[in-house]
Amino acid sequence: MAIKSSILDTIGKTPVIRINNLAPEGVEMFVKLEAANPGGSVKDRLALSIIEAAERDGSLKPGQTVVEATSGNTGIGLAMVCAQKGYPLVVTMAESFSIERRKLMRFLGAKVVLTPASEKGTGMVKKARELAETHGWFLARQFENPANPDIHAKTTAVEIIEDFGPDGLDYFVTGFGTGGTLTGVSRTLRADSPVTKIVAVEPENARLLADDHVQSYNPDGSAAAAHPAWRPHPMQGWTPDFIPMVVQEALTNKRIDAYQPISGAASMQAARDLARKEGIFVGTSAGATFAAALELARTAPKGSKILAMLPDTGERYLSTPLFDDVSEEMSDEEQAISRSTATVRFDVSAAGGAPSFPTADDDALAEVHRTANENAVVMYVLEWCEFCWSVRKMFEEAGIPYKAVELDSVAYQKDNHGGRLRSALKEICGTHTIPQIFVGGTHIGGATETFDAYNAGELGKMLEARQISMAAAAANAYSYLPKWLHPR
Ligand code: PMP
């Protein structure tokens, strides 16, 4: 394995994988797994292609901000490329796309400007264009930029021909978002593997390509109006409310041999089947493409080889209807498995009871009392304890200043300082649990007692008595707990 010179060298060369358990008798089905790209989607390819084309032609200057409208995957790909190359990135995205997408882009250092879902795909594109014009930013223009289909013609399609040989593939099945995949791959397959039929899949309630309405464009190539056949659909990343300029090349050259509609329900079922029967974990548009490929497989001539494009990973969909049938809690069956052995269960308390602590020494006892009296609010915490985080979060949101004693931190390790304070706390508070909170020298209790005092308004009164006013924060302090710690 050659060492890669940067993460960008790991984009592309995604595997084609045989389908073993879901393919009907007599046909061979394959998928191209774009989740294997470092950013988890097909859009890593276009992100690198657009940025490097703009670097070459001088339209992107060193350090210039990049801006783009995206349903998420392009933004994630661009965020990765921009992080590596040192360009700031601003993304505009409709609020209707999954939360995972926003967080991933922000984690990779991008700014995400949300646009109203009611203004659809055309709205987020308009916002990106306005931002570019107002601030002199580089607009990536994925829906028009020729660097988008070009990279698929040069890499995705070439990889497919390398895997199947020229004329070795009977059907290539794909949806479209920008149309980069459809136009680029079909360009090279037509030239170098002319037997391969190109099948374009669309949501059944938003069949823009199969409709004869002619899309109009602005002089800059952006869509001039929304397409009348568009309706909201669940395949994130597919079929915006216009036919992108990038798709026109495939339409004009009549490269699409068949148009296939697919329902949202069939798409999600196919994504679940791929996960559960093939171990292939992908998103909704991948499920949609595979569902369409399966329909095709049922009628295709015996011996056909069918390849479905799988654009991204399923991890991007945890908060979407794709995961509706996946519960956070244990099912009845899982609970029965838990009860089938004696210990480590929720319905049987743990053996052994509370841990023991050595007797508190006088210095440690005096230190706890002194600290409580010298500070308005003191919290004894452990660095990685989620109850502690929850109380801190509440104090921070409510603007309550506090002193935190981090019992397990490096600073408290010398001479078992933290351990001695824990013994003292156990004696003073009557419990070994952490956190323990003191206000104005008075012991309040642990996280639960502190939340109760907050909810009942008592904490506020104690703080007021010390001239500390609270900012508006959550009505119920228990909402600061992570979900898995919520009282059962
Ligand atoms: N599926 C998903 C999840 C996507 O994000 C995209 C790109 N928007 C596509 C499919 C379609 O790819 P393309 O833009 O190349 O048509």
Side-chain angles (χ1 to χ4, degrees), residues 356-361 364-365 368 407 416-432 434:
S356 66
F357 286 92
T359 317
D361 62 75
L365 286 166
V368 171
L407 294 163
N416 192 28
H417 190 174
R420 289 170 45 235
L421 288 178
R422 285 202 73 170
S423 291
L425 283 167
K426 188 180 169 217
E427 199 164 312
I428 292 165
C429 308
T431 170
H432 69 281
I434 300 294

Side-chain angles (χ1 to χ4, degrees), residues 150-167:
D150 285 356
I151 193 70
H152 291 287
K154 280 192 214 128
T155 66
T156 320
V158 172
E159 293 162 22
I160 292 170
I161 293 173
E162 273 169 15
D163 284 341
F164 287 95
D167 296 331

Side-chain angles (χ1 to χ4, degrees), residues 172-176 181-182 198-202 238 289 307-309 311:
F172 174 70
V173 185
T174 183
F176 80 94
T181 311
L182 173 65
I198 311 294
V199 181
V201 194
E202 301 186 274
W238 260 22
T289 317
L307 174 65
M309 202 58 190

Side-chain angles (χ1 to χ4, degrees), residues 42-43 71 73-74 101 142 148 152 175-182 236-238 285 311-312 317:
V42 66
K43 307 314 282 276
S71 62
N73 281 328
T74 296
R101 289 166 152 77
Q142 59 170 335
N148 173 8
H152 291 287
F176 80 94
T178 62
T181 311
L182 173 65
Q236 301 194 17
W238 260 22
S285 71
D312 72 353
Y317 301 86

Side-chain angles (χ1 to χ4, degrees), residues 220-239:
D220 67 359
S222 62
H227 196 291
W230 191 84
R231 298 289 176 279
H233 61 79
M235 285 74 126
Q236 301 194 17
W238 260 22
T239 315

Side-chain angles (χ1 to χ4, degrees), residues 269-307:
Q269 192 52 47
R272 290 180 192 123
D273 288 345
L274 277 171
R276 288 167 201 180
K277 306 219 172 86
E278 298 283 346
I280 297 173
F281 180 35
V282 290
T284 313
S285 71
T289 317
F290 189 71
L294 268 178
E295 277 184 19
L296 173 70
R298 287 187 200 110
T299 54
K302 291 279 170 240
S304 294
K305 287 196 171 104
I306 302 171
L307 174 65

